[in-house]
Amino acid sequence: MEFETEGSASKFERFLFLMIPIIFTLVLLGVLLTLFNMDIRNNVLAIANKIPVVEKWVPDPPQSADEAADPQQQAEEQAASSDKTIKELKSQLTAQSEQLKKANEDTAAQATKAEALQKQIDGMKEEAAAAEAGTDETEDPYVKQVKELAKLYAGMKASKAAPIMENLTTDEMVQIFSVMNNASKTAILEKMDPKKAADVSIKLKETTNSTDMAIAALQSRLKQDAGASTKTTATNNLDKEKLNQTFTSMPAADAATLLGSMYKISPDKVITILNTVSDTVRSSILGEMTKNDSAQTAKVVNRLMGGK
């Protein structure tokens, strides 16, 4: 019994040993065929139909939808598909052509706009240069002189420029200060008389343009000169200090000629003038008078010494 049992077990084991690889191989083939989506039945039927005797016993494999279709219909469908594809391609080509044309038009418009802007900029530069050149060429000489004078005062020390400018009229000082930089203006105003500085500061605040300032300055100068002329006319005689300054600053030859002519009209005035000048100036004038008329000079000297 034990021997028969062992023999049966050995046969079953051999059977399993042979069948397991076969079963595994079949399962693996089935899985692979399923993964690759292969139609096994139709392929087997197609192969069997090619065998001369077996083809009578094996049914024909079913035709696919593509094979069952009518060739003419397939041709029509293919032609329709081709026409549709061509139309789509033509439509895409037309759209791209329009986009390219629009892009070219936009580029041309941008180039034209840029060129117009550049011409405008060039024109503005030319106008600015012409205006600057015209300003330099047509600048009023009076205004130019005022600027030069302001530059002169600004270049001086404030302590020296202030007393000189105080001799000007208020409107003239305003005109000069208006074209002067703030630093020089402040330094000179600090050294000026407080009242005059205040008057100038107020008028600086009220000024509008250079033309008005020039007119005001000229009017103030004319007014001052007219007042000085009236004062001079009202005074009958010059004081001794002014006579001294006048004849001291004159050349001795000119003073001698003038006094020689005056002596014929008013000898007393000639003696008065010679008494006001210094000894050095008097000797120079008398020396020149001797050259012109020695006899007349002798009379003058006699009068200077108290004679008649």
Side-chain angles (χ1 to χ4, degrees):
M1 291 294 290
E2 291 179 359
F3 180 77
E4 290 179 358
T5 303
E6 290 177 358
S8 298
S10 297
K11 291 179 181 180
F12 183 70
E13 289 176 357
R14 285 196 299 270
F15 176 75
L16 290 176
F17 182 76
L18 293 174
M19 291 303 295
I20 288 173
I22 295 172
I23 294 171
F24 179 77
T25 302
L26 293 174
V27 172
L28 181 60
L29 288 174
V31 171
L32 292 175
L33 292 174
T34 303
L35 290 175
F36 289 104
N37 195 19
M38 295 179 66
D39 192 354
I40 301 171
R41 180 174 178 278
N42 291 335
N43 292 334
V44 171
L45 292 175
I47 294 170
N49 282 318
K50 294 179 182 179
I51 300 173
V53 178
V54 179
E55 62 178 352
K56 297 180 180 180
W57 299 340
V58 177
D60 295 332
Q63 294 182 353
S64 62
D66 296 337
E67 293 176 353
D70 186 7
Q72 184 178 0
Q73 184 178 358
Q74 289 181 356
E76 293 177 356
E77 291 178 354
Q78 184 66 29
S81 178
S82 299
D83 292 338
K84 184 178 180 182
T85 303
I86 292 171
K87 289 181 180 179
E88 290 178 355
L89 291 174
K90 288 182 178 180
S91 177
Q92 292 178 3
L93 182 60
T94 303
Q96 290 179 358
S97 300
E98 291 178 355
Q99 291 179 357
L100 181 60
K101 183 178 179 181
K102 185 178 180 181
N104 291 333
E105 291 177 354
D106 293 341
T107 303
Q110 291 293 335
T112 304
K113 186 176 180 181
E115 185 178 357
L117 290 174
Q118 186 62 40
K119 288 182 179 179
Q120 186 177 1
I121 292 171
D122 294 339
M124 293 175 65
K125 287 181 178 179
E126 291 177 358
E127 290 178 0
E132 185 177 358
T135 302
D136 294 338
E137 293 176 357
T138 61
E139 186 177 7
D140 189 355
Y142 180 79
V143 176
K144 185 177 181 181
Q145 187 64 31
V146 171
K147 290 181 179 179
E148 292 292 333
L149 190 59
K151 185 177 180 180
L152 176 65
Y153 284 124
M156 298 171 62
K157 290 184 178 180
S159 59
K160 293 184 177 180
I164 298 175
M165 292 189 68
E166 285 180 351
N167 292 317
L168 302 175
T169 65
T170 303
D171 291 317
E172 287 174 337
M173 286 189 285
V174 169
Q175 188 181 22
I176 293 173
F177 277 130
S178 65
V179 295
M180 192 180 293
N181 59 62
N182 290 332
S184 301
K185 191 187 306 180
T186 303
I188 295 174
L189 285 173
E190 288 177 351
K191 299 294 182 180
M192 289 178 62
D193 179 71
K195 186 177 182 308
K196 290 186 177 181
D199 294 339
V200 171
S201 300
I202 292 173
K203 285 214 169 189
L204 277 172
K205 182 182 67 174
E206 297 174 353
T207 54
T208 54
N209 54 56
S210 59
T211 304
D212 294 340
M213 285 188 290
I215 294 172
L218 291 173
Q219 288 177 345
S220 65
R221 173 54 58 184
L222 291 174
K223 186 176 181 181
Q224 186 178 26
D225 292 343
S229 176
T230 303
K231 184 177 179 181
T232 303
T233 304
T235 304
N236 292 327
N237 298 315
L238 294 173
D239 56 20
K240 292 183 178 181
E241 183 179 357
K242 291 182 178 180
L243 285 172
N244 183 15
Q245 292 178 355
T246 300
F247 283 91
T248 300
S249 61
M250 288 178 64
D254 294 341
T257 303
L258 177 62
L259 292 176
S261 300
M262 285 181 62
Y263 188 81
K264 297 176 182 178
I265 300 172
S266 179
D268 294 335
K269 291 182 179 180
V270 173
I271 301 303
T272 301
I273 292 170
L274 290 174
N275 284 328
T276 59
V277 298
S278 63
D279 295 339
T280 304
V281 176
R282 187 186 305 112
S283 62
S284 299
I285 294 174
L286 289 174
E288 294 294 333
M289 290 178 69
T290 302
K291 295 178 183 179
N292 296 334
D293 191 344
S294 59
Q296 187 184 59
T297 306
K299 294 178 182 180
V300 172
V301 172
N302 184 41
R303 293 285 301 270
L304 289 171
M305 295 178 64
K308 295 184 180 179

